[in-house]
Amino acid sequence: MNSSTEGSSTGNHGRAGERARRAHLVGSIPLADSETVFRTVAGVLGDHLRRIPDGETGTRSRWNSWTAPTYEQTAGLELVPPPPGSYTPWSQAALVIDPDELVLARIGFADAALDSYTRFADLKAAGAIPRHARFQVCLPSPIAPMIVLIEPGSRAGVEPAHLRQLHSEIGEILAGIPHDQLAVQWDVCQDVGIWEGFYPAYFDDTEKGVVERLRDCAEIIPADVEVGFHLCYGDFGHKHFMNPTDLGVCTEIINRVTAASSRTIDWFHVPVPIDRDDAAYYAPLAALALGATTELYLGLIHFGDGIEGAKRRIASAHSYVPSFGVGTECGFGRRPPETIEPLLTLHADVARLVG
């Protein structure tokens, strides 16, 4: 594995100046390509970030759904129509062979990450990206494609093959990117939906099954690579699949994954709806049991009410958690490109309030 120490970032474990970096980008940023994303983000917000994603541009803007061709092209899987009234109205893949014989086609996570990192490294060497920043690779949790792209009766059978291919591509990422330049974020959406009872589980003991899978996501990443989790209630059409009652479920997931993992989790990010500046939404954070060096980011930045709305939500959150960073609830992928630079500037303005 490539673990060069040149240009090392100490993350949240070192320099006092780095502790003032209080903004976080979830992932998708609808600009032309990864180089444009890197230049734009670094130019507007670089000093406020520990990590910079490549924007998941092009076909990857469809988050988890962009990997659908993997399942369509895998021998042993066939497309079937969704059941009537399904929450996923598109065709899904069904397992038609022995699951032990299933070999998943290439997903493409490693190809995208290694290509983007080349541009990231060149821009950092040229001084266009701050030296402290790590390259952030964003991956859907293994539950996400099972719920979205695989028909219900096949999910338990397909998941092991998905994990084998996913872990193989993670190995390529770890071999090709210096570990002190890399951070991996797991995007956790359908997992939260299963916990909330919105999506059906395809495994026994729902909560334990979610925690074990997220623990394994953390532990597949070596300790010298940063790892974090973005907890999500969806953003399709800028709407949640369900509105969270409060941050109780997120807090419980964070605490249980932290306790179960043998490695440090470097950050967690949780959503804050625009209309939740009431104390009740944040009250569960009083029970948060983060690791000593784990960062918490609250997705309380909303373009709709700008700095004033963020101030209200920050004030309510501070009643229950003294220190946190900020971001939006989810990625920017469904936003008009002309709003991106103003939104990044808003991140910088809000980050100064909590820095």
Side-chain angles (χ1 to χ4, degrees):
M1 293 180 182
N2 189 341
S3 54
S4 164
T5 58
E6 182 179 356
S8 176
S9 166
T10 57
N12 56 337
H13 309 293
R15 307 179 194 126
E18 292 194 0
R19 298 191 190 104
R21 297 190 177 105
R22 292 292 191 176
H24 181 72
L25 297 177
V26 171
S28 57
I29 302 169
L31 297 175
D33 50 39
S34 60
E35 180 169 344
T36 305
V37 170
F38 292 140
R39 288 186 180 278
T40 302
V41 167
V44 178
L45 197 56
D47 289 341
H48 297 278
L49 296 170
R50 299 186 191 281
R51 311 161 191 98
I52 301 178
D54 74 350
E56 300 174 69
T57 57
T59 58
R60 290 191 299 135
S61 66
R62 294 184 295 120
W63 185 55
N64 176 61
S65 297
W66 77 270
T67 66
T70 294
Y71 306 94
E72 296 167 2
Q73 296 164 11
T74 292
L77 295 177
E78 294 182 357
L79 289 181
V80 298
S86 173
Y87 47 82
T88 51
W90 47 81
S91 296
Q92 296 179 312
L95 184 65
V96 294
I97 62 171
D98 186 323
D100 291 337
E101 298 177 2
L102 187 65
V103 178
L104 210 65
R106 190 167 184 83
I107 305 171
F109 292 134
D111 301 325
L114 295 173
D115 181 66
S116 290
Y117 179 70
T118 298
R119 290 160 176 75
F120 180 92
D122 288 346
L123 290 169
K124 180 178 273 195
I129 291 175
R131 186 174 179 181
H132 72 265
R134 290 190 182 224
F135 173 60
Q136 178 178 311
V137 173
C138 302
L139 301 171
S141 78
I143 285 177
M146 297 305 103
I147 294 294
V148 175
L149 301 173
I150 307 299
E151 66 88 21
S154 301
R155 290 166 184 166
V158 173
E159 186 180 41
H162 172 80
L163 289 171
R164 288 192 293 272
Q165 182 59 34
L166 173 65
H167 291 174
S168 175
E169 295 192 26
I170 289 173
E172 294 177 40
I173 293 170
L174 294 171
I177 299 177
H179 289 193
D180 63 355
Q181 299 297 300
L182 180 61
V184 175
Q185 175 177 278
W186 291 99
D187 296 334
V188 180
C189 180
Q190 282 70 28
D191 321 53
V192 175
I194 287 175
W195 197 291
E196 288 273 19
F198 183 83
Y199 294 112
Y202 56 92
F203 41 81
D204 296 331
D205 196 336
T206 299
E207 294 180 5
K208 181 180 179 183
V210 168
V211 170
E212 287 177 345
R213 284 163 173 78
L214 297 181
R215 174 206 63 201
D216 292 348
C217 286
E219 293 183 349
I220 196 68
I221 308 301
D224 57 349
V225 174
E226 292 186 346
V227 70
F229 292 90
H230 155 55
L231 305 185
C232 187
Y233 280 78
D235 189 45
F236 187 73
H238 292 304
K239 293 182 179 180
H240 298 305
F241 58 75
M242 62 174 288
N243 288 320
T245 301
D246 55 30
L247 283 170
V249 165
C250 288
T251 296
E252 187 171 2
I253 292 173
I254 288 171
N255 288 351
R256 289 179 61 175
V257 172
T258 297
S261 179
S262 63
R263 63 150 293 164
T264 296
I265 311 299
D266 292 282
W267 77 93
F268 288 97
H269 171 279
V270 299
V272 179
I274 192 170
D275 60 347
R276 298 307 298 267
D277 57 13
D278 56 300
Y281 185 77
Y282 308 89
L285 293 176
L288 201 61
L290 292 177
T293 57
T294 302
E295 304 155 14
L296 174 67
Y297 293 94
L298 301 184
L300 52 72
I301 296 175
H302 290 272
F303 210 43
D305 63 5
I307 193 78
E308 294 306 317
K311 285 179 179 179
R312 294 194 302 271
R313 291 183 282 274
I314 288 169
S316 293
H318 270 153
S319 298
Y320 299 98
V321 61
S323 178
F324 54 85
V326 293
T328 48
E329 284 193 293
C330 200
F332 300 175
R334 299 177 179 93
R335 297 180 180 276
E338 63 270 17
T339 68
I340 299 307
E341 289 199 42
L343 185 55
L344 292 172
T345 300
L346 178 60
H347 276 66
D349 293 340
V350 177
R352 293 186 187 99
L353 300 176
V354 294

